[in-house]
Amino acid sequence: MTVELKIYYPASQKKMWLVPISGSKSFEEYWKPISGLLKLKLIPNFDLGLNLGKEDIPAVIAELDTFEDFVHSEQQKIIPPDKLEYVLSSLHELVEALKEAKNEIGEIDLWFN
C-alpha cells in the first residue's frame, strides 16, 4: 500500500490531484519514527486518514520543513543513506503540491491516507 495525499478541488474544473508520499513500510520505518522523535502532530497521521483544508497547509508545510531539517542533520540515523534520496524526493514533491494547492482559488480538501 501507499501513503498518499489526494487534493480535491470542488470549486474548479480540476477533479483531484494524487501525490504519492511513501510506501507503507517506508512510512512506518522512517517517517513515523522521525515524526515521533520531533513530536510532530500531523505527519504521523498521514497513513491513518487525515482530512484537512486549505487553512491547514501552512501547519503541514511547517512540519515537513522540521522533518527535512532533521533528515539533513547529523542526528539523523533512522534513514539509511541508500533511502535518503527517495525520502527527500517524496518530501519535496509533497511540499510543492501543497504550495500549489494553497495558491488555488476556491476551496480545496486534502485527504492523507
Side-chain angles (χ1 to χ4, degrees), residues 37-70:
L37 239 129
L38 299 172
K39 299 188 181 353
L40 302 178
K41 304 290 185 215
L42 299 170
I43 294 174
N45 295 305
F46 283 179
D47 63 335
L48 301 176
L50 184 63
N51 190 8
L52 301 172
K54 186 187 281 190
E55 67 279 0
D56 301 305
I57 291 175
V60 176
I61 291 174
E63 282 200 8
L64 292 168
D65 287 344
T66 300
F67 185 95
E68 182 177 14
D69 289 346
F70 178 81

Side-chain angles (χ1 to χ4, degrees), residues 1 10 12 17 19 33 36 43 50-51 58 61 69 72-73 77 81-82 86-87 91 93 98-99 101 103 106:
M1 292 189 54
S12 81
W17 186 9
V19 183
I43 294 174
L50 184 63
N51 190 8
I61 291 174
D69 289 346
H72 285 296
S73 76
K77 306 281 188 241
D82 63 321
Y86 160 73
V87 172
L91 183 120
E93 285 181 39
L98 288 166
K99 285 179 179 177
N103 293 328

Side-chain angles (χ1 to χ4, degrees), residues 1-3 20-29 31 86 90:
M1 292 189 54
T2 303
V3 179
I21 299 171
S22 176
S24 295
K25 183 179 178 191
S26 297
F27 192 79
E28 286 294 324
E29 290 178 356
W31 292 75
Y86 160 73
S90 296

